[in-house]
Amino acid sequence: MNTSEDADSGILEKPDILSTGNTELDKKIADGLPLSSLTLIEGENDTGKSVLTQQIIWGALKQGFNVDLFSTENTSKSFLSQMESMSLDISDYFAWGYLRVFPMHVVGFEWTKDKMQGTLERMIHYMEQSKAQVIVIDSLTLFTEYAKQDTVLTFFTNCKNLVDHGKTILITLHTYAFVEDSLVRIRSICDAHLFMKKALVGGKYVMMLEVVKVRGARKTTGNIISFEVHPGYGIKIIPVSVAKV
């Protein structure tokens, strides 16, 4: 990987940064997320968590990384369709095995606490052995409905150990899935924390992304980014000044 700007994509590639593939978004997130880090993307329903992870997956693939996606939100087909609707065509990456998608929501399968714990343990083992440098879990909320919170906290700790061995892991989570004490512990484990919400601006709802923290960021975190998702275009940053709450 070089450190020059790709003339075709406009992505400023740096050896220690995971680009989102969107230069405007990168500038707001401390130039991008650090590699070998654990990122929590938190928010309520329909606040853009999946859209953001899709953008980051695009950036990772464009940088030449192998990516694994564990999804409780999509099948492989629906994920590829969503990416295409954002003008992020990843079909070649998928066909050649640079992107692997693992749907986690199995219809008719009865989850139990023991099965869930075993699944989380197998995920860690797989992630450890995988050739993928970037791993996305969207979302972990399904697991919190069946597993004990201590089990999920252990999963985050194990993810952090994988990060220490070079993996870059991003996990989305619905805020309502945890009591505040557990959320505080999870946020402290993570190297980066992005919080997403919706806000009514100018008579319409837009998605808001707050950069709560990014480990080792050279730029000030605490930025609040407003954006819309346009079919056929993708994420469009909106220059709206919103007071931090």
Side-chain angles (χ1 to χ4, degrees):
M1 191 190 310
N2 59 50
T3 57
S4 61
E5 187 168 335
D6 187 312
D8 295 326
S9 65
I11 300 171
L12 185 61
E13 295 185 353
K14 297 182 179 181
D16 59 342
I17 291 294
L18 175 63
S19 170
T20 66
N22 181 311
T23 52
E24 285 188 274
L25 196 55
D26 281 350
K27 289 175 183 177
K28 296 291 187 179
I29 311 179
D31 285 336
L33 295 167
L35 290 174
S36 299
S37 65
L38 176 59
T39 296
L40 173 66
I41 302 174
E42 177 191 347
E44 299 297 350
N45 290 324
D46 300 320
T47 52
K49 297 184 298 299
S50 293
V51 170
L52 180 60
T53 59
Q54 289 163 11
Q55 183 68 55
I56 293 170
I57 287 171
W58 167 256
L61 292 169
K62 294 292 285 184
Q63 281 183 272
F65 294 116
N66 289 295
V67 180
D68 284 344
L69 168 65
F70 294 89
S71 176
T72 60
E73 309 287 325
N74 286 295
T75 63
S76 298
K77 184 177 180 179
S78 64
F79 177 75
L80 293 172
S81 296
Q82 285 185 12
M83 294 292 282
E84 186 177 355
S85 73
M86 293 172 60
S87 294
L88 305 176
D89 185 2
I90 58 169
S91 55
D92 285 345
Y93 294 104
F94 182 75
W96 286 97
Y98 297 109
L99 167 68
R100 290 180 292 184
V101 180
F102 302 96
M104 300 297 291
H105 195 102
V106 182
V107 177
F109 183 79
E110 185 177 350
W111 287 107
T112 65
K113 289 184 178 180
D114 288 340
K115 287 180 180 178
M116 189 61 73
Q117 181 174 346
T119 299
L120 291 174
E121 290 172 352
R122 286 192 292 273
M123 283 176 64
I124 288 294
H125 179 71
Y126 172 83
M127 290 157 64
E128 184 178 16
Q129 303 297 323
S130 174
K131 66 180 181 180
Q133 300 96 338
V134 177
I135 299 169
V136 177
I137 302 170
D138 181 35
S139 76
L140 202 67
T141 301
L142 171 67
F143 296 90
T144 66
E145 295 176 5
Y146 300 96
K148 296 178 181 178
Q149 300 219 351
D150 283 348
T151 299
V152 179
L153 287 168
T154 298
F155 178 77
F156 272 91
T157 301
N158 289 333
C159 285
K160 182 65 174 174
N161 291 335
L162 293 179
V163 161
D164 291 340
H165 290 84
K167 300 290 187 182
T168 302
I169 303 174
L170 301 96
I171 300 175
T172 70
L173 190 69
H174 292 78
T175 303
Y176 67 76
F178 280 93
V179 296
E180 185 61 26
D181 180 60
S182 293
L183 274 175
V184 169
R185 293 168 65 186
I186 288 173
R187 292 164 183 160
S188 66
I189 291 171
C190 295
D191 301 295
H193 177 203
L194 309 178
F195 185 81
M196 308 197 69
K197 61 184 178 181
K198 275 187 176 180
L200 187 62
V201 177
K204 63 179 180 180
Y205 281 99
V206 298
M207 297 173 184
M208 312 294 296
L209 164 62
E210 180 181 358
V211 184
V212 181
K213 72 172 180 177
V214 177
R215 184 200 71 203
R218 292 180 293 275
K219 292 187 177 181
T220 304
T221 55
N223 285 341
I224 295 180
I225 308 154
S226 54
F227 66 92
E228 293 178 320
V229 180
H230 292 259
Y233 179 86
I235 289 180
K236 182 178 180 181
I237 305 298
I238 303 171
V240 178
S241 177
V242 178
K244 182 178 177 182
V245 295

